[in-house]
Amino acid sequence: EPEVTQTPSHQVTQMGQEVILRCVPISNHLYFYWYRQILGQKVEFLVSFYNNEISEKSEIFDDQFSVERPDGSNFTLKIRSTKLEDSAMYFCASSYRAISYGYTFGSGTRLTVV
Amino acid sequence: DQQVKQNSPSLSVQEGRISILNCDYTNSMFDYFLWYKKYPAEGPTFLISISSIKDKNEDGRFTVFLNKSAKHLSLHIVPSQPGDSAVYFCAAGGETSGSRLTFGEGTQLTVNP
């Protein structure tokens, strides 16, 4: 069964450093998403991406965050200057349709900012 | 953000019995509702969804019921199996909220053999 692949599974970074979280969505999917889950909290929407541009972003997705699909297969989330409160599980997801008949999520990257 | 709420953090049932997971929402603009299952160290896995124009959707052992007037949905698992033990998330979305999903807090289901 097709999978969404995320790397790395765990990343530790120092506060103020830049991190790039990587995702390989399912190959025929057209819509791409990042969500995050801070420990003990809800899964929260960050951003959606379609046709090589951001289609929607949440209030969390400020200027410190950016997304890119550099080569037609990877989908990356960059955090420019990490803060302690960015520590969370980050999930990439993809879907074939815009209406959510069930995204396919990756296994997540646990980001720890120290 | 309290738009989607799962009030029970945990539920324990015996194998073979029915599991009923509940979810409430406040935003009447939601057009569709989904249930996801999540095992530790994995991402959420889509289980079943329902459109706001329906009141029931069934897929094998899983049935989702939607009561729009009460802004309530539930997931029934019959019969429950030990492999169903996981965290279950309710999520909702709508045309007015673009492609984003709003998740509930999750309910940890434990099915005892």
Side-chain angles (χ1 to χ4, degrees), chain A residues 19-32:
Chain A
V19 294
I20 298 176
L21 309 182
R22 301 181 192 280
C23 170
V24 179
I26 293 173
S27 60
N28 67 338
H29 282 186
L30 304 174
Y31 300 85
F32 313 109

Side-chain angles (χ1 to χ4, degrees), chain A residues 5-12 19-23 34-37 77 79 86-92 106-112, chain B residues 41-43:
Chain A
T5 305
Q6 288 187 245
T7 55
S9 56
H10 191 188
Q11 173 129 18
V12 181
V19 294
I20 298 176
L21 309 182
R22 301 181 192 280
C23 170
W34 284 100
Y35 282 75
R36 78 174 185 189
Q37 186 179 26
L77 174 69
I79 309 175
D86 294 327
S87 295
M89 196 75 168
Y90 287 80
F91 293 106
C92 173
S107 296
T109 293
R110 178 165 299 285
L111 176 66
T112 303
Chain B
E42 293 184 15

Side-chain angles (χ1 to χ4, degrees), chain A residues 49-76:
Chain A
F49 192 87
Y50 170 72
N51 202 25
N52 281 321
E53 61 182 24
I54 290 173
S55 49
E56 190 182 355
K57 59 183 180 179
S58 73
E59 308 71 31
I60 303 166
F61 195 89
D62 61 22
D63 292 343
Q64 291 298 313
F65 292 88
S66 61
V67 290
E68 197 176 36
R69 190 157 159 80
D71 56 11
S73 62
N74 289 286
F75 180 50
T76 61

Side-chain angles (χ1 to χ4, degrees), chain A residues 13-20 62-66 78-86 90 111 113:
Chain A
T13 189
Q14 291 217 321
M15 192 168 54
Q17 294 296 304
E18 174 184 287
V19 294
I20 298 176
D62 61 22
D63 292 343
Q64 291 298 313
F65 292 88
S66 61
K78 182 193 290 187
I79 309 175
R80 285 191 184 79
S81 178
T82 49
K83 308 186 194 77
L84 294 176
E85 54 264 37
D86 294 327
Y90 287 80
L111 176 66
V113 182

Side-chain angles (χ1 to χ4, degrees), chain A residues 35 42 48 56 100 103 105-106, chain B residues 1 4 36 43 97 99-101:
Chain A
Y35 282 75
K42 294 185 177 186
S48 59
E56 190 182 355
S100 294
Y103 304 156
F105 281 88
Chain B
D1 178 2
V4 178
Y36 282 84
S97 56
S99 51
R100 74 168 69 187
L101 290 179

Side-chain angles (χ1 to χ4, degrees), chain B residues 26 28 30-31 36 38-39 54 59 77 80 83 85 92 107:
Chain B
T26 56
S28 57
F30 286 138
D31 295 315
Y36 282 84
K38 186 181 180 304
Y39 294 116
K54 295 189 171 184
D59 183 2
I77 306 173
S80 302
S85 298
T107 297

